[in-house]
Amino acid sequence: MNIGQAARATGVSAKMIRWYEQQGLVPAATRSESNYRHYSEGDLHRLRFIRRARDLGFSIKQIAELLALWNDRGRASADVKALALGHAAALRQRILELEEMVQSLGHLAEHCQGDDRPECPILERLAAPVAA
Amino acid sequence: MNIGQAARATGVSAKMIRWYEQQGLVPAATRSESNYRHYSEGDLHRLRFIRRARDLGFSIKQIAELLALWNDRGRASADVKALALGHAAALRQRILELEEMVQSLGHLAEHCQGDDRPECPILERLAAPVAA
DNA sequence: ATGGGCTTTCCCAATATGGCAAGGTCAAGA
DNA sequence: TCTTGACCTTGCCATATTGGGAAAGCCCAT
């Protein structure tokens, strides 16, 4: 199976597959005589794993850890769980930050008429002389 | 006022001030004989504006638009408001995505014992053969 | 044999920020 | 006056992930 087919089968673009290989996230694919990469079912399996982990917002580094645990038959499930929960906590933190921004924006926008006149509390706040 | 003082006064690092200048977000600072940049109160004002907009999660490009509106005495407040609300909507969208991830992670972790044994539904799900 | 669709590698782009290095400048103290 | 330390300059590198494009080679079907 060539890289394009593997891409279609896993939802990981060919470009990304090559990049993951370069980053050591997947082992270097075997090559045909004419240097084409080709992929086995096991390779697709691994790529799908990566794809799903990306969808959950794991970084490449974290995915490398997950893959290592996946391949370690003797791992403790606690290690996997800790990784997942740590990541979830980081996501929640990020969500809080974004929510704060949304709230501030909401407050600012509330006081802005949003008409043809130039008076705009949003800009005034951003430009406030000292603290805001 | 030198760049270091301007940085301290505005909360924008010297590095970033130079970078904003290079990006055209702030006009090139005037220079002393020995080529040191120096900054006026107006410059600090502009830098603080940028800083606050960054804190609200606006991108550099968006900040450029905000600055243009700020400097346009005849702007319509509607234009500013639209920018702010559009940005808020994008943030909310991002929040939804992150919340979905957190939820999925929560579901996965719920079913994982998190002990010394290797059985781990988290990995099993990530590795699931076809759909998950 | 020719063309269209695939593959290869390599370079570039974006975002915003920090770090490091080599060298110039300035002010204060000995 | 000389030295020292704090500051400034530019420039390059790195981060993390993805897409775009070019030039060249390969494969299959007509």
Side-chain angles (χ1 to χ4, degrees), chain A residues 13-84:
Chain A
S13 73
K15 207 89 189 222
M16 282 300 101
I17 294 177
R18 294 193 194 97
W19 190 72
Y20 292 153
E21 175 180 319
Q22 204 187 317
Q23 299 306 302
L25 211 54
V26 298
T30 57
R31 303 284 188 130
S32 71
E33 284 178 30
S34 52
N35 206 29
Y36 280 22
R37 288 170 179 83
H38 65 90
Y39 296 89
S40 67
E41 265 309 312
D43 296 328
L44 299 188
H45 210 179
R46 197 172 173 97
L47 286 170
R48 272 188 221 105
F49 183 106
I50 294 173
R51 176 70 211 287
R52 295 201 185 106
R54 287 293 298 143
D55 286 346
L56 289 174
F58 285 100
S59 71
I60 298 302
K61 215 168 262 186
Q62 290 171 317
I63 295 175
E65 296 179 53
L66 286 172
L67 285 168
L69 289 170
W70 184 35
N71 290 326
D72 176 0
R73 296 259 138 243
R75 84 249 164 181
S77 67
D79 291 343
V80 183
K81 191 166 182 173
L83 231 169

Side-chain angles (χ1 to χ4, degrees), chain A residues 126-129, chain B residues 10 40-50 52 70:
Chain A
L126 286 173
Chain B
T10 61
S40 68
E41 265 308 313
D43 295 329
L44 299 188
H45 210 179
R46 197 173 174 96
L47 287 171
R48 271 188 221 107
F49 183 105
I50 294 173
R52 296 202 183 104
W70 183 35

Side-chain angles (χ1 to χ4, degrees), chain B residues 95-115:
Chain B
I95 287 172
L96 288 180
E97 291 166 9
L98 295 179
E99 278 173 346
E100 258 189 60
M101 293 181 195
V102 169
Q103 256 216 330
S104 300
L105 283 167
H107 287 154
L108 289 177
E110 250 173 50
H111 297 296
C112 174
Q113 289 302 314
D115 55 20

Side-chain angles (χ1 to χ4, degrees), chain B residues 30-49:
Chain B
T30 58
R31 303 285 188 130
S32 71
E33 283 178 30
S34 53
N35 206 29
Y36 281 21
R37 288 171 180 83
H38 64 91
Y39 296 89
S40 68
E41 265 308 313
D43 295 329
L44 299 188
H45 210 179
R46 197 173 174 96
L47 287 171
R48 271 188 221 107
F49 183 105

Side-chain angles (χ1 to χ4, degrees), chain B residues 74-128:
Chain B
R75 85 247 162 182
S77 67
D79 290 343
V80 183
K81 192 167 183 174
L83 232 169
L85 291 180
H87 177 49
L91 291 181
R92 263 186 243 107
Q93 179 56 43
R94 183 68 187 140
I95 287 172
L96 288 180
E97 291 166 9
L98 295 179
E99 278 173 346
E100 258 189 60
M101 293 181 195
V102 169
Q103 256 216 330
S104 300
L105 283 167
H107 287 154
L108 289 177
E110 250 173 50
H111 297 296
C112 174
Q113 289 302 314
D115 55 20
D116 285 349
R117 288 169 300 168
E119 286 75 34
C120 181
I122 300 176
L123 292 180
E124 282 158 24
R125 271 315 183 89
L126 287 172

